[in-house]
Amino acid sequence: MEKNNEWYAIGKDFCLSDEALYQFTAAFREDMEAALAGKESSLSADRTFIGLPTGREGGRYIAVDFGGSTLRAARILLTGKGYYVIERKAQMPLVVPGKHDFTSKSATAEELFDALADLVSQVADKNKHYVLGHTFSFAVEQNELGDGKLLSWVKEIGTSGVEGKYVNQLLTEALKRRGYTLIRPVALLNDTTATLLTAAYANEICNVAVICGTGFNMCFYDNRKKEIVNLEAGEFSRLTRSAWDLAVDKETQHPGRHLLEKMLSGAYLGRIFRRLVMAYFKTDQIPHISTETLANLIRSESPQETRRLMSAAWGRILTFEDTKALSNLGASVFVRSAQLMGAAVAAVLLHMYGHEEVPNQTIAVDGSVCTRVRGCLPVMTEAAFNCFHNAAGNMKEMKALPEFLENSSLVGAAIAAAIVMRDRE
């Protein structure tokens, strides 16, 4: 009983009440609508310069995805009628210990974009013409779909010589250094926009997308403007943060920024959990584990295996009571993440549909936290339904269900390139 009380005392900040979620939804909606009206807000209403696909876009394209812990490239065939084929794919971790670290300040723009060009060379035929779509999930200043200037790195990346530069121009120069002069980047977008494009290409109705992987973001389709709007949702700051959130924030590259992202995304959940483990064992000598490792620890259905993995991770012998307590703490971190995502989805739908019923549609969802953590989707869905009905009234239907997508960042980049070529015809 004493141990049970101990883990709950540490983890109680991650057990959000219905009222706390309702307040979050209301505040998120207020900030979203303030941003759309051009007023002061912690959220953005950034233009993406692209609308939704028709589903009939076709052709063969090169896609590049840079936004998480892995660089990826692919050659993708869009067949029309909402179907696509990933013909070739190549990827590379941003960090390989003892070999390279493209995230460090000592790494250069040339080294980073040469690595991207190398991946492109693995999927593209050198003597063929291609247009390329680039999913680049960092804050950019953008005046057109074709390119944008990186404002500042996030997600603990510090590569030198990229901030203030045009991203697709850097990629074009790297491709030329590799002799790939027939490949032309024509679109730059973030992963949330790419996810919405992918879902809208394959489904009849999809107007909202959520990404929760290394980072967190949301976007929606503004039917009046006929354009996708990027909310930069990870920047939302009207939050009640725990002592654990505050401690993690102080350690990061940009303290005081990206506050919601630091409460629910993959770059930070492992750090938060480490703080909880330190408090549980009353020591600061606890090694860091990644969010992916944490998800694997609490996914195991064997108490013996979980105990073995946890003991190995932290270099100490755990009791079964310790194992259960720490599993509960880890689960509570993920539950809060899923609940906050659902509450944010409700806010976007309330803005879009107000007092009307939400029509049948898909909410596009991607990112490692969503796809690798068991139970994330049901918790997210329940929070969205509850928050929506609390604000709109129980008589209003919310016929919007989250749906996982695979490879959406790559496929969406190809679709963006196809839209550019379609609109030029």
Side-chain angles (χ1 to χ4, degrees):
M1 182 64 70
E2 182 179 345
K3 280 288 188 182
N4 286 338
N5 291 338
E6 191 170 346
W7 85 257
Y8 184 76
I10 295 169
K12 67 182 186 303
D13 293 323
F14 298 87
C15 301
L16 300 179
S17 67
D18 287 348
E19 187 58 35
L21 289 171
Y22 299 158
Q23 290 175 4
F24 176 94
T25 294
F28 194 97
R29 182 182 179 185
E30 286 175 7
D31 264 27
M32 175 182 173
E33 292 178 347
L36 289 164
K39 299 177 182 178
E40 184 176 350
S41 173
S42 64
L43 293 173
S44 299
D46 294 339
R47 294 193 62 186
T48 62
F49 303 93
I50 194 167
L52 296 180
T54 63
R56 298 188 296 273
E57 292 80 6
R60 186 171 277 109
Y61 303 90
I62 301 299
V64 169
D65 174 29
F66 176 21
S69 58
T70 303
L71 304 174
R72 301 190 299 163
R75 191 181 76 194
I76 296 174
L77 174 65
L78 303 179
T79 62
K81 300 181 180 179
Y83 294 99
Y84 56 84
V85 178
I86 299 176
E87 297 180 323
R88 294 180 188 171
K89 184 178 173 182
Q91 61 185 39
M92 173 193 302
L94 276 170
V95 181
V96 176
K99 187 176 180 182
H100 67 252
D101 181 356
F102 295 129
T103 68
S104 71
K105 291 182 180 179
S106 61
T108 66
E110 186 171 304
E111 290 170 337
L112 174 60
F113 282 86
D114 279 352
L116 274 174
D118 283 339
L119 290 177
V120 171
S121 73
Q122 296 175 42
V123 301
D125 295 321
K126 195 168 188 177
N127 298 318
K128 290 186 178 180
H129 288 270
Y130 298 98
V131 293
L132 179 151
H134 186 177
T135 298
F136 184 78
S137 304
F138 303 91
V140 296
E141 179 184 305
Q142 199 164 7
N143 298 310
E144 60 169 344
L145 181 60
D147 206 352
K149 185 192 301 183
L150 175 63
L151 295 175
S152 65
W153 285 121
V154 292
K155 306 174 189 176
E156 308 311 299
I157 295 177
T159 317
S160 64
V162 185
E163 292 179 338
K165 300 292 181 63
Y166 283 91
V167 176
N168 269 350
Q169 182 178 332
L170 291 173
L171 179 57
T172 300
E173 292 168 356
L175 289 168
K176 288 180 178 177
R177 287 194 292 272
R178 292 292 183 273
Y180 282 78
T181 57
L182 302 181
I183 298 177
R184 183 162 48 98
V186 296
L188 187 76
L189 62 162
N190 68 32
D191 53 359
T192 321
T193 302
T195 295
L196 181 51
L197 291 175
T198 303
Y201 183 74
N203 295 286
E204 284 192 15
I205 303 179
C206 181
N207 294 307
V208 180
V210 181
I211 287 280
C212 193
T214 304
F216 170 71
N217 197 10
M218 298 179 67
C219 69
F220 75 101
Y221 179 64
D222 189 322
N223 192 49
R224 292 172 304 144
K225 297 178 180 177
K226 305 300 180 186
E227 188 173 303
I228 297 170
V229 177
N230 169 33
L231 295 174
E232 288 298 329
E235 287 277 15
F236 183 64
S237 63
R238 293 175 60 186
L239 300 159
T240 300
R241 295 188 291 162
S242 69
W244 323 108
D245 300 312
L246 294 169
V248 167
D249 180 36
K250 288 180 181 178
E251 304 172 336
T252 59
Q253 184 181 14
H254 300 292
R257 291 187 56 195
H258 319 295
L259 298 185
L260 180 56
E261 182 168 276
K262 291 173 183 174
M263 292 176 68
L264 53 74
S265 75
Y268 304 99
L269 293 184
R271 297 179 182 216
I272 292 172
F273 183 62
R274 176 176 177 267
R275 289 279 172 178
L276 304 187
V277 177
M278 287 164 59
Y280 182 84
F281 286 124
K282 299 178 176 62
T283 177
D284 58 2
Q285 302 300 311
I286 296 294
H288 170 73
I289 63 170
S290 67
T291 300
E292 182 178 1
T293 300
L294 170 58
N296 291 335
L297 287 178
I298 67 172
R299 184 185 295 132
S300 173
E301 296 183 0
S302 165
Q304 293 83 1
E305 179 65 7
T306 303
R307 180 189 181 195
R308 184 188 69 79
L309 292 172
M310 286 187 173
S311 297
W314 296 310
R316 58 178 62 227
I317 298 174
L318 273 64
T319 66
F320 282 111
E321 194 175 18
D322 290 332
T323 302
K324 183 177 180 180
L326 293 172
S327 293
N328 287 337
L329 283 173
S332 70
V333 171
F334 284 122
V335 167
R336 184 184 71 163
S337 178
Q339 286 181 314
L340 291 174
M341 281 189 272
V345 166
V348 175
L349 292 174
L350 286 163
H351 163 74
M352 293 176 67
Y353 299 103
H355 297 294
E356 300 176 6
E357 290 188 358
V358 177
N360 285 320
Q361 63 185 280
T362 295
I363 303 294
V365 176
D366 200 1
S368 57
V369 173
C370 297
T371 57
R372 296 177 184 171
V373 179
R374 185 176 57 192
C376 179
L377 199 60
V379 172
M380 176 182 169
T381 303
E382 182 181 21
F385 272 63
N386 289 343
C387 291
F388 179 86
H389 289 304
N390 173 72
N394 290 327
M395 297 302 292
K396 301 300 179 184
E397 289 280 354
M398 181 189 139
K399 302 172 183 176
L401 290 175
E403 180 178 302
F404 290 138
L405 297 169
E406 293 186 9
N407 297 305
S408 63
S409 293
L410 286 169
V411 176
I415 293 168
I419 290 173
V420 170
M421 303 312 292
R422 179 200 71 194
D423 290 347
R424 288 180 180 177
E425 291 178 355

